Amino acid sequence: MAAGNAPPIEVDPLEQSIRRRVVLATIAILLMMVAHIVGPLVRSEDSKVVDLLTEFGSAITALFLLLLGTPKILRALRERREDAAIAHAERMQVNHLFRMTELLQSANGYGDANAVLGATIDSLLEGFGGALYVFNNSRDRLELSATWNWPESDTLRPMLMPSQCWALKRGKAHLNADTQGALCCEHHVGAATVLELPMSAHGEIRGMLKIGTARPDAAAQLARIQPIATAIADAMSLAISNIALRETLRTQALRDPLTGLYNRRYMEDALTRLAALAERTGTHLSAIMIDLDHFKKLNDQFGHAVGDTVLREAARQIVGALRVSDVACRYGGEELLVILPECSLNEARAKAEVLRERIEALSAVHGAAISASLGVASLPESTRTIADLLPIADAAMYQAKAAGRNRVVAAPAQESPMLPLAAE
């Protein structure tokens, strides 16, 4: 930059004031020195009076400058120290937020992100409680994900509806306070004052951060910390968005997009793992092969949209009748597969009959004949080889179709004939 274009140097008012008082005090002291030097050389009475007045006036001037300037200078220095302390605290907050953002980028899931958020609230919002709500997969409600130091006088609901929250409806921060004239959310209960901050990322609200306190001056305290709380919520919203995106990609890699059941790739891995576990523990492992009857005819008569709906609802009925440890997959087309660990052949056949009835019940809903044929096989009763388990269950399912459909056929135990279980 050229010298002629250099920005002007700002003059510090405090420095100017100190310099001005030093100059005046120096002049006063010099006058006193001159009076002391000149006084002995002049012997007249008038000169003695002048010397006395000069010394006295200079002393008074110097004392006046000290008394007048010192408090102002000390006050300015104290304000500067306070400003420096505030600037240092803000710099530490910014550094902590950068650290939080860096850690959130490495979070593998909501557990890691909640731990980072909790540590940040403890550090930057000491004395305040925090609670994090996150939208569920269907985005029709928010579920409580984590809490930190929440006031005992306040109650947190495990679930919130967006329609009950002013912060979510407005997309802006909202204060819930038990004071006259305050507008509180329907879900707000308890005596604590709560600041609610919606967390948005990529144009979509991802959740809500609640900061609460039961202090007497709660509203003023929450107003003071709102900027840093907003910065924390913004950083956390990006992390939640990234975690949700990773969960979506993981789900798409493992699940069938139409039915929501696990896909065939996941099924193969699960079957290998569960078979090894069954062999090691000496327990049963059963499989149910399911095929919707006349599904092509259903598509031709009512359209593919209805066919997709029936397939989704059939999958939902199957999942609703299974244990947490069971695995339901879309094997291909309208064929579905259920893997039942620690389940014998007879237990699997009974479970298959329950599934058949639940699928058949969809007929009344759609006004069409909906049914399924099911084949059951089990380790070690039907076979002792994992590679033969699914082919045997598939063969039993085709026998059910050949026997008239809408029925369950269990693969024979070794040395036994097949036993069809016809629908009543």
Side-chain angles (χ1 to χ4, degrees), residues 248-329:
T248 299
L249 294 176
R250 186 181 296 113
T251 298
Q252 291 176 348
L254 299 178
R255 292 187 179 272
D256 170 62
L258 176 62
T259 62
L261 302 179
Y262 288 111
N263 56 28
R264 187 163 180 168
R265 176 182 176 183
Y266 179 87
M267 177 274 297
E268 293 172 351
D269 293 339
L271 183 61
T272 301
R273 182 176 66 256
L274 293 174
L277 180 63
E279 181 180 3
R280 184 168 65 252
T281 58
T283 57
H284 296 272
L285 178 65
S286 298
I288 303 175
M289 191 71 73
I290 306 169
D291 186 83
L292 297 182
D293 297 328
H294 302 298
F295 192 71
K296 184 178 183 303
K297 181 179 178 181
L298 182 70
N299 278 330
D300 293 341
Q301 184 176 356
F302 296 96
H304 288 279
V306 174
D308 290 346
T309 300
V310 170
L311 196 55
R312 278 195 299 268
E313 294 185 4
R316 189 178 299 112
Q317 292 298 321
I318 291 172
V319 172
L322 299 181
R323 304 168 297 177
V324 176
S325 59
D326 299 335
V327 179
C329 315

Side-chain angles (χ1 to χ4, degrees), residues 310 313 356-372 406:
V310 170
E313 294 185 4
R356 186 199 66 77
E357 292 176 352
R358 291 173 71 98
I359 293 174
E360 186 181 19
L362 295 175
S363 301
V365 177
H366 295 279
I370 300 173
S371 64
N406 192 24

